[in-house]
Amino acid sequence: MTKKDVLELKRRFKKDACTFTRMCGCYVDGERNRVVKLTETFLNLEEEEFFKYLEIAKKALSGTLGNNLLELEFPTEEESAGGRQQFLTALRSSALQNEDLLERFYDLIIDHYEYAGNYLILIFHDAYDVITKTSDNSKLDESEEVYEYLLCAICPVSLSKPGLGYREEENRIGPRIRDWIVTPPESGFLFPAFTDRSSDLHAVLTYHKNAREPHTELMEDILGCSAKKTAAEQKLAFTSIIKNAYSGDEEASRDVFCELQQELSDLAAEETAEEDDVPKEPLCLTPDTLKELLEESAVLETAAAVIQNACREEFQDEAPPISHLIDEKAAKDGSRKRQEKELVQKVGVLEQELKDARMLAGLSEEDVPGLPKTYDVILRVKPEKAAHIKSQMIDGKKCLVIPMEENEHAAINGVNTTV
């Protein structure tokens, strides 16, 4: 699924466009006991409830693809009889009206979902009449297909904060009554995936509010798929690998990390500049790409070997996209350090050029412009010519006399002079 696919669904989660046919749910306490179940015809809900539940549905499709939203493919065995994909397909086909299937669905989540507290399981059923679009995204008045799907949201239920309030019955200020409040979803999923504006029964889109600590049991035990790492997890892992490669030398690891981040940022910028209308696979951190980055960053061979081995082990299932590993702040620090390094190199080159120029001109440090001069006249002649130079009084003034042959030339302050 793409961002465009997700937005197309979310745009329908409003009063005049929503077509949810049914919503069911089960409230579970901290001991995994069912407290209450609910079954509602969604469009018949009172307005206040309608909008509250609609907001929960929107949250279950919020965040960034590859980070909060992960698309997973079902293994072949899960698409066979008795598999999770087959079970979800049957639940979808029932339009949430088969009580036995709903009971099995609640049990599946209660048995595997790891949460220390109360939570509410909500599941929505919808049938979206997908309207055909032209190449310029203009809608045609005809249906392409009916996308029938389930949207699940698992919402923590917590006590409201204690405090004081006005107790109207007693006409006094006293402790407020603490209520159990349904909070935004922590996890959820969309089945089947909505890919290229069409149903993809082989895939499911999962939602994780906390991308640093996603519920892998939702992906593996409840949906039967192989868990994927979020972008946040991949970035944390990559950062730890760089730090560990320098065995506690924080300054060295920080410098290398910033430099690598700058290199990654440059690669991502090149990829963006090359983008066209044809979708393509994102640039990933393959072993070859990592090797080139380490060589360009002049990382020590021993540290480079540690980093390569650790990355190979950490990302053995799937090479992470370059964009998932970029730390914007570190990339900016890397860019600043690079500019400072280049400036120091330029200054060194200029100083060497100045030194070479002084040597060619026969100047010493005291002869540099702006500094006090020891001599008013400086001569630079060939060694064999120096012996013939002598002083002589001419018109009452002391002069230096340099004998010149007819084929000899002279330059004064760099300007050729005819003698």
Side-chain angles (χ1 to χ4, degrees), residues 64 79 81 104 108 165 189 197 217 242 281 333 371 374:
T64 308
E79 296 189 358
R104 285 177 57 193
L108 183 63
F189 66 85
R197 311 189 71 237
E217 75 278 7
I242 303 302
E281 292 296 321
D333 288 343
L371 297 177
T374 307

Side-chain angles (χ1 to χ4, degrees), residues 5 8-9 12 19 92 126-133 140-149 191-202:
D5 295 325
E8 182 171 350
L9 293 180
R12 303 181 61 255
T19 57
R92 180 191 69 151
D126 191 13
Y128 170 32
D129 196 9
V130 183
I131 301 300
T132 303
K133 287 187 177 182
L140 299 178
D141 194 19
E142 61 182 66
S143 175
E144 203 165 57
E145 73 166 275
V146 175
Y147 169 58
E148 186 180 8
Y149 66 94
F191 173 80
F194 185 58
T195 305
D196 293 331
R197 311 189 71 237
S198 181
S199 301
D200 182 0
L201 288 168
H202 305 292

Side-chain angles (χ1 to χ4, degrees), residues 180 249 287 419:
W180 289 98
D249 189 341
V419 178

Side-chain angles (χ1 to χ4, degrees), residues 93-215:
S93 299
S94 74
L96 302 182
Q97 299 198 43
N98 186 313
E99 192 63 30
D100 290 337
L101 289 177
L102 280 169
E103 291 291 328
R104 285 177 57 193
F105 177 70
Y106 298 145
D107 287 340
L108 183 63
I109 294 179
I110 293 170
D111 290 343
H112 297 287
Y113 193 67
E114 296 179 4
Y115 184 76
N118 299 5
Y119 59 90
L120 174 65
I121 304 169
L122 289 175
I123 185 164
F124 304 82
H125 174 270
D126 191 13
Y128 170 32
D129 196 9
V130 183
I131 301 300
T132 303
K133 287 187 177 182
T134 61
S135 57
D136 61 352
N137 284 331
S138 298
K139 292 184 178 180
L140 299 178
D141 194 19
E142 61 182 66
S143 175
E144 203 165 57
E145 73 166 275
V146 175
Y147 169 58
E148 186 180 8
Y149 66 94
L150 301 174
L151 179 63
C152 175
I154 304 176
C155 308
V157 179
S158 56
L159 273 173
S160 59
K161 294 182 179 180
L164 295 175
Y166 174 63
R167 301 177 71 92
E168 187 175 2
E169 299 82 0
E170 304 170 20
N171 193 29
R172 71 181 185 89
I173 301 297
R176 57 181 287 188
I177 298 173
R178 300 180 66 187
D179 298 322
W180 289 98
I181 299 175
V182 178
T183 60
E186 185 173 272
S187 302
F189 66 85
L190 172 76
F191 173 80
F194 185 58
T195 305
D196 293 331
R197 311 189 71 237
S198 181
S199 301
D200 182 0
L201 288 168
H202 305 292
V204 58
L205 185 72
T206 60
Y207 167 72
H208 309 274
K209 180 180 179 181
N210 184 356
R212 287 174 174 260
E213 297 179 359
H215 283 268

Side-chain angles (χ1 to χ4, degrees), residues 54-110:
L54 206 57
E55 188 63 31
I56 289 174
K58 288 181 184 178
K59 287 291 185 181
L61 287 179
S62 62
T64 308
L65 283 167
N67 197 36
N68 306 97
L69 297 172
L70 296 177
E71 185 172 352
L72 310 175
E73 291 187 0
F74 289 103
T76 305
E77 59 270 20
E78 294 297 341
E79 296 189 358
S80 304
R84 307 298 166 84
Q85 188 260 16
Q86 285 290 297
F87 169 68
L88 290 173
T89 300
L91 185 62
R92 180 191 69 151
S93 299
S94 74
L96 302 182
Q97 299 198 43
N98 186 313
E99 192 63 30
D100 290 337
L101 289 177
L102 280 169
E103 291 291 328
R104 285 177 57 193
F105 177 70
Y106 298 145
D107 287 340
L108 183 63
I109 294 179
I110 293 170

Side-chain angles (χ1 to χ4, degrees), residues 258 262 330-341:
C258 289
Q262 177 58 41
K332 288 180 181 178
D333 288 343
S335 178
R336 178 178 53 78
K337 289 177 183 291
R338 177 191 288 179
Q339 291 174 356
E340 291 175 353
K341 186 177 180 180

Side-chain angles (χ1 to χ4, degrees), residues 202-412:
H202 305 292
V204 58
L205 185 72
T206 60
Y207 167 72
H208 309 274
K209 180 180 179 181
N210 184 356
R212 287 174 174 260
E213 297 179 359
H215 283 268
T216 55
E217 75 278 7
L218 170 68
M219 297 183 264
E220 297 176 338
D221 301 324
I222 297 174
L223 296 174
C225 301
S226 296
K228 277 187 179 180
K229 291 184 182 296
T230 66
E233 289 182 299
Q234 291 171 338
K235 185 188 295 184
L236 286 171
F238 184 67
T239 302
S240 297
I241 287 171
I242 303 302
K243 289 182 178 180
N244 294 337
Y246 281 84
S247 302
D249 189 341
E250 292 186 8
E251 185 175 354
S253 66
R254 179 64 184 172
D255 289 343
V256 169
F257 180 70
C258 289
E259 192 168 353
L260 286 174
Q261 284 294 324
Q262 177 58 41
E263 296 288 348
L264 291 171
S265 183
D266 289 346
L267 281 177
E270 290 174 10
E271 182 187 25
T272 302
E274 294 174 359
E275 281 186 355
D276 49 33
D277 295 334
V278 181
K280 57 183 179 181
E281 292 296 321
L283 181 63
C284 296
L285 188 73
T286 63
D288 290 339
T289 303
L290 177 61
K291 183 179 179 182
E292 291 178 11
L293 286 174
L294 295 173
E295 289 174 350
E296 291 174 4
S297 302
V299 178
L300 294 175
E301 289 187 10
T302 52
V306 172
I307 293 171
Q308 286 176 298
N309 290 334
C311 284
R312 190 178 298 112
E313 183 177 347
E314 177 67 29
F315 306 122
Q316 58 183 327
D317 295 330
E318 185 178 7
I322 294 293
S323 58
H324 288 187
L325 306 178
I326 296 176
D327 183 319
E328 296 294 344
K329 183 178 179 181
K332 288 180 181 178
D333 288 343
S335 178
R336 178 178 53 78
K337 289 177 183 291
R338 177 191 288 179
Q339 291 174 356
E340 291 175 353
K341 186 177 180 180
E342 290 175 351
L343 184 59
V344 169
Q345 290 175 342
K346 288 179 180 179
V347 170
V349 170
L350 290 173
E351 288 179 342
Q352 185 61 44
E353 290 177 352
L354 182 59
K355 184 177 180 181
D356 294 342
R358 284 201 303 266
M359 289 179 64
L360 289 173
L363 301 176
S364 63
E365 294 293 334
E366 290 80 8
D367 301 318
V368 178
L371 297 177
K373 293 181 173 58
T374 307
Y375 307 103
D376 295 310
V377 178
I378 298 173
L379 296 178
R380 186 172 182 271
V381 298
K382 295 179 179 179
E384 59 271 20
K385 199 73 176 175
H388 300 285
I389 298 175
K390 54 186 177 180
S391 63
Q392 183 178 331
M393 296 297 294
I394 299 176
D395 295 333
K397 294 182 179 180
K398 188 176 182 179
C399 301
L400 289 174
V401 179
I402 307 172
M404 299 288 292
E405 301 295 337
E406 290 184 4
N407 62 343
E408 291 181 328
H409 300 277
I412 299 176

